[in-house]
Amino acid sequence: MLICFTLTASAKGFGQKKLNLQFQKTEIASILTTIEKATNYRFLYDNSLKGVRLKINLNVKDADLKQVLDEMLANTGLSYQFMENNLVVIKETNPGEQAQSVVTGKVTGDGGVPLQGVSVQVKGTNKGATTGEQGTYSLNVNDADVLVFSYVGYDSQEVPAAGKTEINVTLVLSKQELAQVVVIGYGTQKKRDLTGSIAVVSGDDVAKMPSTNPVASLQGRVAGLTIVNSGQAGAAPTVRIRGVNSTNNSDPLYVVDGIQQTNIDYLNQADIETIEVLKDPSSIAIYGLQGGNGVIIITTKRAKKGQSTTSFQSNVGVQQVNNKIKVVDAAGFKKLYSEQLANISAAPFDYSNYNGNTNWQDEIFRSAIINNNSISFSNSTDKSTTYLNLGYSNQQGVEKFDHYQRYVGRLNEDIRVTNNIRVGADVTGSFWKQNPPVGGIENEALWAAPIVPVQAGPGLYYAMPSFQRAQVANPLAAIDGSNGNTLNSGYRVTASVFAEIKFLKSFTWKSTFYTDLSTNSSRGYTPLPFHYINLGEGGTSTDTSYNNLAHTSVSQEEYIYKTYQQDHTLTFDKNFGSSHLTVLAGFSTLYHYSEFVNGNRTDTSLNIPNNSTLWYLNVVQQSNPGTYGGGAAEDASISWLGRVNYSFKNRYLLNVSFRRDGTSKFSPSHQWGNFGSVGAGWVMTDEDFMRDISWLNFLKLKASWGTVGNGLSIGNYLSYPALTPANVGIFGDHIYPSVAAAYIADPNLHWEKVEGKDAGVEARFLNNRLSLDVDFYDRKTHDILTNITLPNQTIPYFTNLGTIDNKGVEVTAGWSDKIGRDFKYSISGNVSVNKNNVESIGNGINFQIFPNGVNMTQTGYSIGYFYGYVQTGIYQNTAQIDKSPHLASAAPGDIIFKDVNGDGKIDQNDRTNLGSPFPKLNFGGNINLSYKNFDLTVDVQGVTGNKVYVARRTATFATLNYESNRLNAWTGAGTTNIEPILDNTRSNNFLFSSYWLEPGDYFRLRTIQLGYTFNTGTTLRNSGIKAFRLYLNAQNIGTFSHTTGYSPEVPISSPTAGGIDNGIYPVPAIYSFGLNLTF
Amino acid sequence: MFGFAALLLTTAFLPGCKKDFLDRKPLGQYTADNYPYPSGGGPYDQFVNAAYASLRTGDGGNTAVSGFNFMGAVSIRSDDGDKGSTPTDAPDQVAMDQFPVTPTNGLINDLWNGYYSSVNKCNTVLYQVGHDSTGTAQDVKTLATAEAKFIRAYDYFMLVRLWGRVPLIDTVISSISQTNTKQSDAGTVYAFIESDLQFAAAHLPLTWSSKYPGRSTSGSANALLAKVYLTEKKWGQAFSAAGMVISSGAYSLDPDYGHQFTETGENGVESIFEIQAYADASHQEDANYGCQYANVQGVRGVDWNNLGWGFNVPSGALTAAYETGDPRKDATYLYCPSLVPTKYGEIFPTEPNPAYNQKVYTNPTYRSMVGDQFGWWMNVRILRYADVLLMYAEAANESGNAAEALDKLEMVRARARAGNTATLPKVTTTNQDDLRTAIQHERRIELALEQDRFFDIVRWGIAATAEHLAGKPNYTTGRDEVLPIPQQQLDLSKGVLTQNPGY
């Protein structure tokens, strides 16, 4: 019907005529007639064309005819052609195709709000469109087509086209995330149908965090996941899933778009669609030998169907060390060192030349920039989708000159060859370069005496006093001396190609070939040393020293890593009445190869200039001294796998999987192993008897059992008696090669086997506003692979020992709701409790695993627990010593140890369990608020129940600066019951005891993020912008802890020697600003 | 479509079906099965070389047996060596100096591991010899066995003197349950050492070709055996073993006492056995080649005179023990400040200690040649002819043969006085007690700051007196003769090892 019609035309010739047209639901033929009347143009068309009977809306202003026709005939299946004499032919675009009609419409969500970006797709095809800003779409369809409307977070709807020209749809918020499709090993499954325990984190949550490693940002977000971050630029965190399983290696397997990896440093954190954490054996069993420590599946972004977008993300931030370690200043040092010398009756130190007051931490730390940028282009057509992403990350470390940069590019392409054949390829290339931090500088800065000034001029530094000169260098000189002298860089390319064929309706064959190639290189330079001012003491005058014997040298290292992987799967997927059956069978091989060469050469006649273009071995004459090395390693594995997923009436769920793995890492008689799992689930809310419970929207019970292997990251040829070149035989000046066993070979070596049980409940209440997931697990690792020290043997022995058990509970709960139209909020939290117990350390073992005299691994206790004395006070006087059990040499001022076994004497048998380095409880919380265009996120996170060993304070190899706790050292009766006397020769006080432990519990304000999303109003729309968000973020701004180190997060990477703070790169606070832009 | 699938199937499975896909042997690394033992030198050379190297550096770069730990245990513990360095430095060495050494002392566990690492290297040689089916000539096997037994005997002699009761391990382990061995009493260990050394003495050559200076000989086996017998107070056997070294005629005293401790004196006429060390510009402080021994004792100065960490400095008691005018004092002490220029013309300023051990004082020419000041090229003199002469004298005196004792004692004193008759008068007493005192004094001075003094005063039964006199009142008889078994070893053994008395 014509509601309004205005037309103005000026006869200034073709292209000059400006038309103003406004029609609503008007037949095209009738519009054409109207235009004919107003202009000189004549239209020629066949009246039987279906297209010209279409009723459309048209609204153009100041348009020429071409624009009008383009707009009018879009999606009508009609095209036009200008002929001579102002004649325009209208014809069908593809006369061969079935007659089509245009459907238009609007998609709205809750409360009639238009939904932008909804995918509208013709079922069974790639044909589709996406809704625009007002929720509107327009699409060419056939009468028989069915349209599928889908949008993240909403239930999909299917509407038959059935000749309709307008289809308006209101989408309903889906029953939370249960409708999500989860990537499981070698396939996908609805979250609702899972019988295992898989946590899903959206890539968007990771992208907006200021970090160069995607996994680092998972801290506190997933129950059962322990993450220990490092502050070092570009460094990967330590990740543990459900506790420590092994005494060997507890790192999870990463599967990035199908590629099995142990290192994902190359990924652009803004380019991730989802991260999934597979926690229980029934989910992991399909990964067999590789999966023992859990699996993290990362899916990168691909072009969404029907979308053509460009998206840009960027954040920039400043990192700072907020918690410097409290050490004494110059006055404090002089007081304490004098006291210490007096306590051992040594002559006082002559401080007269030492007038500095330096906090060396201030010298080595700085405010550092972190900057991440990512731009991606995606395009999708009926036949193909293309996605291109480019990323650049630039992170300075808070330690001076530590610097990491990474460039990533990723391109993927899916091509639909026919309706049943799909092929595709994926290529990621990355380049990183790094100026690494100086190793051990954290402790040097704590240890260097504050009485020394820093620097007298360029290249002229102050040396430490005689009591530490041989052991502690001027920290700033150390850091300046290494600035830019190590150039690390690496290239990595991962690529895959796949083909997928559907046949006989229910079968899908998919073959994928993967490769992961990388090369790392490092070039180094040793410059001439600095000059040092020795202030001197005891009457020695100040002098300046310089090491005349030092020469410049260069080094080069090259590493090559290659991985080839192939996966082939056949999937059968079919509904039988109320049953749904998916059967997967597969075959996979994996091959790793690595090699390296390195060399260095010292120039004893020339000084190589400090110019990196010269830092190659050949800059030095070959006759100069140097060393060279090289080596290689490879391993291979073959796997057969299978899985059956069965559901009956959507409520009874069954999952059975199997994998048979063979690996070259073990001797031929121990190469093959079988792994498998069974999982079952019951969606109770689908039962009739529960349908009427209105407050309960969803309830699922699930349980699973499974076994997996743990052969990841273990050495390659450990069952062979390998020989290694040993220290050379020397007779006079003759050098003779020598050889020795590299390790004690265990020909019976086989992999660890992890057996796990899991039971859980998933529930959604009160209109899905309240969610609760609870999982119980019990996981036993048998035949743990352990590297142990045998008594009176000093070379490593690697063997299978006993059994470790991890039991735990994980609870995740959330509430989300809104108040009024504009205020939305959600609160969620997760808690996981883990209890670790070593059930056995093996039958053949008649000695203890106590590698460092601190961490004990023993049957009946938590792995690697702290084993030592218990401090009960400080001896105040000799009378107190005499009347209680004491160590032979105990003296006033010494630590009082508890007579734990009550036998009236203090000896080694009074050592006891002082706690575990591993947290008993991990928790995280998250609050999201949004009001109109503003949104606010607060994340908190923490751990409890672990202990931290302050090993950095135990060093006695020199006189080191004191941490401020020593200001309270015992100086006489009644002064303290905590801090022993200042006397490092009182070795009793250095026995490992509770004095050296700090509670590791902490609570951290992990993230506060405030964002503003612009209305995509006129201004933005005209510039083509579809979405625009700005945000401010603060990370790690407050950590509440009893620990005195830079961070309560100390390394736990070694299961049998974890929790030791002996110089840790600080985890900084980060204040950042970011934006997301889509157009 | 099926054809396509079949094609994929075929190509995909090919690599996986290859029979050897899972057969991956070490790359760039030999295994015991494919090592191409060099022909001519005997198939065990490579393992024997590793055994020699283990006297310098054990597994994992453990330099305890020739470096900081060794020097502390054998010399700082004595009444001659003081800790040195700076007062608060290295409290573990303070314990060595002042007693008691506690079971958790950081130095002793590495020392224990270092010697057992060496024992294991020797056991590997013996295992290889015993399992050799390549038709190697018997004399090649015997020689390798003798060398391994000599080194193993040295290891156990150190172990038994340091700890008293130690586990005797004489095979390579083949099963994990074999590893936790009980301690044997000292007598059993000594019998084991004697047997190893007797074999070595009988089968080692007296000399080697010029390609092998410093390699173990029947002379070194007999000299070590003499020291073992002396320690066991088997005077007659000691007399005979030392006598065989003397009568072999292979050794003589270096006319210049100080020269034998320099670079050019290494493996010289007086040398019977040295731990061999090497450094060059590519291997400056490289434990694979060199030795930490000189480094830990070098002058703790700055700039050109920063030659090391400055441990093991002469004690007041040692200074007082020198006879007036004994030239060996100025050859043993490196004074700071220098009173006169040193033998290399260097003048040292005041340093934290008034004197350091000159027996590890390096030649500046070598320093600049290697490009390093810390002396990792310096050998450790383990057995030298003067030591054997004094052992012989001691054994003779204890056997009632004063004439032989006086004769050999005079040889040592004559060399020391270097023609200056104003000092070191000839000892003439035939009173056994007086002569014993004279020989003990001579050993102290002749071997000052080397590695015998602590073991000597213990075996002479004068340790408490000597230590107390030297200002170490904590020395306790019945405890400090031996070190505590390292706590880490006790813990590791889960109670199979037991602690020494008094600790």
Side-chain angles (χ1 to χ4, degrees), chain B residues 262-279:
Chain B
T262 64
E263 284 88 346
T264 54
E266 289 189 343
N267 301 317
V269 291
E270 188 169 341
S271 171
I272 295 178
F273 190 70
E274 296 178 9
I275 295 174
Q276 306 286 316
Y278 174 88

Side-chain angles (χ1 to χ4, degrees), chain A residues 337 340-341 344 346 420-421 466-471 499 501-504 509 511 513 534 540 543-551 566 568 587 589-591 593 602 604 625-627 632-638 640 662-664 671-672 717 720-724 726-744 788-795 797 799 801 841 844-848 850-853 867 889 908 911 956-959 984-985 987-988 991, chain B residues 1-2 4-5 8-9 11-13 15-18 21-33 35 37 45-47 49-50 52-53 56-59 61-62 85-92 94 100 102 104 112-114 116-117 120-121 147 167 169 171 173 175-177 179-181 210-216 267 276-278 280-284 287-290 300-304 308-309 350 352 367-368 371-373 487-494 496-497 499:
Chain A
Y337 188 45
Q340 182 177 349
L341 288 170
I344 59 168
N420 291 322
I421 299 181
S466 63
F467 55 75
Q468 60 173 214
R469 186 182 303 131
Q471 294 94 343
I501 303 165
K502 292 191 167 134
F503 57 99
L504 299 177
W509 173 274
S511 281
F513 295 86
N534 304 288
T540 313
D543 68 346
T544 299
S545 68
Y546 178 73
N547 182 359
N548 282 309
L549 298 178
H551 296 292
Q566 56 176 334
H568 309 280
F587 170 78
T589 70
L590 184 61
Y591 172 81
Y593 175 84
T602 303
T604 51
T627 58
E634 63 175 357
D635 69 85
S637 62
I638 298 175
W640 301 91
T663 173
S664 66
Q671 271 176 346
W672 288 92
Y717 314 106
Y720 294 101
L723 299 179
T724 181
N727 297 324
V728 293
I730 289 171
F731 299 108
D733 288 332
H734 304 276
I735 296 168
Y736 298 92
S738 77
V739 71
Y743 39 78
I744 301 171
I788 49 174
T789 309
L790 304 179
N792 309 318
Q793 300 285 333
T794 42
I795 55 177
Y797 183 63
T799 191
L801 290 181
I841 59 163
I845 297 290
N846 55 358
F847 52 86
Q848 302 214 69
F850 193 35
N852 53 1
Y867 181 72
S889 51
Q908 65 201 57
R911 292 175 299 171
T956 56
F957 57 84
T959 299
N984 63 350
T985 67
S987 56
N988 288 350
L991 292 173
Chain B
M1 191 192 303
F2 284 112
F4 184 45
L8 262 178
L9 203 78
T11 50
F13 282 65
C17 293
K18 268 171 72 182
F21 187 68
L22 293 185
D23 184 19
R24 306 286 168 180
K25 293 271 167 52
L27 301 175
Q29 191 178 24
Y30 294 114
T31 67
D33 309 323
Y35 194 81
Y37 298 103
D45 262 10
Q46 304 268 306
F47 289 103
N49 289 338
Y52 277 105
R56 190 177 64 239
T57 308
D59 288 317
N62 178 343
S85 184
T86 57
T88 50
D89 190 16
D92 286 340
V94 174
T102 54
T104 50
W112 175 285
N113 279 334
Y116 276 103
S117 153
N120 292 330
K121 294 278 191 298
E147 290 188 84
I169 294 162
T171 53
I173 74 142
S175 124
I176 194 167
S177 53
T179 57
N180 205 351
T181 311
S210 61
K211 285 164 66 184
Y212 301 108
R215 193 156 189 167
S216 64
N267 301 317
Q276 306 286 316
Y278 174 88
D280 63 20
S282 306
H283 309 99
Q284 294 175 327
N288 189 1
Y289 293 79
R300 191 185 177 94
V302 294
D303 206 15
W304 67 267
W309 304 347
T350 303
R367 282 179 233 151
S368 93
D372 183 83
Q373 303 193 141
Q487 186 62 45
Q488 223 167 322
Q489 299 302 322
L490 292 175
D491 288 338
L492 192 58
S493 83
K494 208 172 172 180
V496 168
L497 299 185
Q499 188 50 281

Side-chain angles (χ1 to χ4, degrees), chain A residues 34-353:
Chain A
T34 313
I35 296 173
E36 279 179 338
K37 283 177 183 160
T39 65
N40 299 332
Y41 288 101
R42 291 293 171 267
F43 297 99
L44 268 181
Y45 53 88
D46 179 350
N47 261 325
S48 69
L49 279 181
K50 211 170 185 179
V52 299
R53 300 297 155 209
L54 283 175
K55 289 182 175 173
I56 63 162
N57 299 333
L58 186 66
N59 186 358
V60 293
K61 279 181 183 155
D62 285 341
D64 61 30
L65 181 65
K66 191 171 180 311
Q67 288 168 321
V68 172
L69 289 174
D70 282 342
E71 171 117 15
M72 191 166 79
L73 302 182
N75 299 322
T76 59
L78 299 177
S79 61
Y80 60 91
Q81 194 175 359
F82 283 98
M83 313 297 279
E84 289 178 1
N85 303 324
N86 290 347
L87 203 61
V88 182
V89 176
I90 305 287
K91 57 182 181 180
E92 264 187 350
T93 311
N94 295 308
E97 272 191 14
Q98 195 185 342
Q100 290 192 321
S101 58
V102 172
V103 171
T104 58
K106 184 171 182 175
V107 182
T108 52
D110 232 4
V113 181
L115 291 178
Q116 181 192 356
V118 177
S119 156
V120 187
Q121 215 187 333
V122 177
K123 194 176 182 181
T125 74
N126 246 356
K127 208 162 74 175
T130 311
T131 56
E133 293 132 31
Q134 299 309 313
T136 55
Y137 71 95
S138 159
L139 188 64
N140 263 342
V141 297
N142 299 325
D143 284 356
D145 286 347
V146 175
L147 295 188
V148 182
F149 296 83
S150 54
Y151 192 55
V152 179
Y154 289 78
D155 283 338
S156 295
Q157 275 189 40
E158 297 185 2
V159 183
K164 284 178 264 187
T165 55
E166 180 172 357
I167 300 176
N168 295 322
V169 166
T170 300
L171 290 180
V172 181
L173 267 173
S174 71
K175 291 181 178 175
Q176 299 286 328
E177 77 297 351
L178 293 171
Q180 274 178 357
V181 169
V182 176
V183 179
I184 56 178
Y186 307 94
T188 58
Q189 200 172 11
K190 268 191 188 163
K191 190 162 197 299
R192 182 190 181 284
D193 295 342
L194 292 177
T195 59
S197 181
I198 299 179
V200 185
V201 177
S202 149
D204 293 341
D205 289 345
V206 170
K208 62 188 184 186
M209 293 302 164
S211 168
T212 52
N213 188 300
V215 180
S217 301
L218 297 187
Q219 192 178 47
R221 292 191 164 263
V222 176
L225 190 66
T226 303
I227 296 210
V228 173
N229 279 318
S230 163
Q232 186 184 329
T238 302
V239 178
R240 295 287 174 266
I241 297 173
R242 286 186 172 173
V244 176
N245 291 303
S246 173
T247 53
N248 175 36
N249 181 307
S250 293
D251 295 337
L253 171 73
Y254 295 95
V255 180
V256 180
D257 297 328
I259 313 184
Q260 299 186 8
Q261 293 169 332
T262 53
N263 169 327
I264 53 156
D265 294 349
Y266 72 101
L267 282 179
N268 176 358
Q269 68 283 359
D271 190 30
I272 288 171
E273 185 68 34
T274 57
I275 299 179
E276 281 149 23
V277 183
L278 277 56
K279 298 189 280 193
D280 72 301
S282 83
S283 310
I284 297 165
I286 198 74
Y287 286 106
L289 185 55
Q290 310 289 324
N293 295 323
V295 178
I296 295 181
I297 297 183
I298 295 178
T299 308
T300 58
K301 288 185 173 161
R302 304 185 89 81
K304 299 231 170 30
K305 278 169 186 163
Q307 274 189 4
S308 178
T309 56
T310 300
S311 150
F312 175 69
Q313 306 199 14
S314 178
N315 61 53
V316 60
V318 180
Q319 309 165 86
Q320 271 174 7
V321 181
N322 279 3
N323 302 318
K324 289 200 177 122
I325 292 175
K326 292 181 183 67
V327 292
V328 300
D329 62 4
F333 180 84
K334 288 175 182 172
K335 173 178 178 291
L336 296 183
Y337 188 45
S338 299
E339 205 173 304
Q340 182 177 349
L341 288 170
N343 285 338
I344 59 168
S345 310
F349 185 81
D350 175 7
Y351 296 107
S352 48
N353 295 338

Side-chain angles (χ1 to χ4, degrees), chain B residues 261 293-295 297-299 357-362 375 378-379:
Chain B
F261 302 110
Y293 186 68
N295 187 162
Q297 302 177 65
V299 176
N357 182 3
Q358 191 174 167
K359 289 179 174 175
V360 297
Y361 176 41
T362 52
M378 294 287 272
N379 288 359

